Amino acid sequence: MKLHQIKKASLDELADGAAGPERQRAEQRIARTLELIQETLVVSPLPDDYCGPCYGAGRDALQCCNSCEEVKAAYRTRRWGMPDEKNFEQCRREARMRAVTIGEGEGCNVFGSIEVHRSSGNLHLSPTSSAQQSAGGAMLQRADAMGHGDVVHFNVSHRINRLSFGDDFPGQINPLDGVERISPLGPGVARYFIKVVPTIYRDLSGTELFSNQFATTEYFKAVHEDDRLFQLPGVHFSYDITPLRVRLTEARGRTFLSFFVRCAATIGGVFTVAGVIDKNFYSSQR
């Protein structure tokens, strides 16, 4: 008998008003069933000498497939049709690991650099992809494979530690550095609209640094799983590079001598104006 059938039968007994020893046995069966369910969800670490089966798709009998992706790669090498992932022990184990990770609310840290063309573009961080597989051959979650009930597991609360377009120069301010946004309902769509301005910075030695400054506006919308038409949760950056260019030139400040000359000129001007006023006032009194 399956676990959910045992649980249902025990709950039916309690709902029918079981009392005394019968009620106690039903409660024990429910407790035992819950323990078995918990054991199936908790993934124990694999031994060091673990060698998973390739289910006949390996090059030889000694080949090991320790992950779900390795089993899929073996099937692709053989050019065999891919059956349901539930048939593979490795895939079931990794699915339980993902379920536990989602339950614990674990997040991720994304970092790196991207070389883009000098034109408008977008950067998307989402649980799905329009591509079928990554550059390394790993299969990716397709957008059309995600249902309404799946979006509740993706909380788009995030913190942008650093985001820049090009190298930094003295005095540069990146407005998104340290920005933190919390999504109270969990899933949502966060969009940042970025206007990038190419900048040339020239220091005292005459060396020029080609970089960029940018300004940004943002938009957020919560995603509800019961909406008929819903957007996939994610964080999106849309950037647009302006056709203008700003040139910043570093220059030395005034020396003490120039400051003294300017002060003397200012004081001399004050005395001259005061003398003219005094002369006119004296003439008018006569």
Side-chain angles (χ1 to χ4, degrees), residues 226-260:
D226 53 351
D227 292 344
R228 290 188 58 190
L229 298 176
F230 73 99
Q231 293 177 288
L232 292 175
V235 181
H236 309 281
F237 300 89
S238 300
Y239 59 90
D240 183 24
I241 300 179
T242 63
L244 304 177
R245 174 174 289 177
V246 175
R247 180 182 292 272
L248 302 176
T249 303
E250 185 181 10
R252 294 187 183 277
R254 296 184 177 90
T255 63
F256 178 77
L257 180 60
S258 63
F259 173 74
F260 178 77

Side-chain angles (χ1 to χ4, degrees), residues 51 70 74 77 127-128 175 180 195 226:
C51 181
E70 291 180 357
T77 302
T128 63
E180 183 174 345
K195 185 70 70 173
D226 53 351

Side-chain angles (χ1 to χ4, degrees), residues 24-278:
Q24 185 177 3
R25 286 193 295 270
E27 292 176 348
Q28 291 176 351
R29 285 195 295 270
I30 293 175
R32 178 55 182 165
T33 303
L34 294 177
E35 290 178 0
L36 293 175
I37 294 175
Q38 186 175 6
E39 290 176 359
T40 59
L41 292 177
V42 176
V43 181
S44 57
L46 296 175
D48 296 335
D49 58 348
Y50 173 78
C51 181
C54 295
Y55 303 92
R59 297 184 302 272
D60 50 58
L62 300 179
Q63 181 179 352
C64 299
C65 295
N66 294 339
S67 66
C68 184
E69 183 57 36
E70 291 180 357
V71 175
K72 295 178 181 178
Y75 268 74
R76 288 195 297 269
T77 302
R78 290 277 191 174
R79 297 185 178 182
W80 291 355
M82 190 66 188
D84 191 350
E85 293 184 0
K86 296 180 180 179
N87 296 326
F88 304 134
E89 179 266 336
Q90 296 91 331
C91 298
R92 293 196 302 269
R93 181 179 66 252
E94 294 178 5
R96 291 197 298 269
M97 292 177 64
R98 287 193 296 268
V100 172
T101 301
I102 293 175
E104 294 175 351
E106 182 177 332
C108 60
N109 185 23
V110 180
F111 63 93
S113 60
I114 304 175
E115 187 172 342
V116 298
H117 297 287
R118 287 188 171 274
S119 60
S120 302
N122 298 277
L123 172 63
H124 305 288
L125 302 178
S126 64
T128 63
S129 174
S130 58
Q132 294 186 358
Q133 63 183 28
S134 65
M139 300 300 294
L140 301 177
Q141 172 79 4
R142 295 295 302 274
D144 53 7
M146 177 174 252
H148 285 62
D150 298 326
V151 302
V152 298
H153 299 302
F154 298 96
N155 191 315
V156 297
S157 298
H158 59 278
R159 173 183 172 84
I160 303 175
N161 295 319
R162 174 176 169 77
L163 179 65
S164 63
F165 290 81
D167 298 327
D168 287 347
F169 54 84
Q172 182 177 7
I173 298 177
N174 297 319
L176 288 180
D177 287 359
V179 170
E180 183 174 345
R181 296 292 179 262
I182 304 300
S183 177
L185 300 178
V189 177
R191 294 186 181 275
Y192 295 91
F193 302 95
I194 301 173
K195 185 70 70 173
V196 182
V197 181
T199 303
I200 300 177
Y201 178 82
R202 183 187 180 100
D203 60 14
L204 292 175
S205 64
T207 303
E208 292 186 343
L209 173 65
F210 293 84
S211 185
N212 300 276
Q213 303 179 83
F214 68 92
T216 181
T217 57
E218 58 182 280
Y219 161 82
F220 179 81
K221 178 183 178 182
V223 174
H224 302 281
E225 60 174 322
D226 53 351
D227 292 344
R228 290 188 58 190
L229 298 176
F230 73 99
Q231 293 177 288
L232 292 175
V235 181
H236 309 281
F237 300 89
S238 300
Y239 59 90
D240 183 24
I241 300 179
T242 63
L244 304 177
R245 174 174 289 177
V246 175
R247 180 182 292 272
L248 302 176
T249 303
E250 185 181 10
R252 294 187 183 277
R254 296 184 177 90
T255 63
F256 178 77
L257 180 60
S258 63
F259 173 74
F260 178 77
V261 172
R262 291 174 62 88
C263 289
T266 303
I267 295 173
V270 171
F271 275 100
T272 301
V273 174
V276 173
I277 295 175
D278 180 70

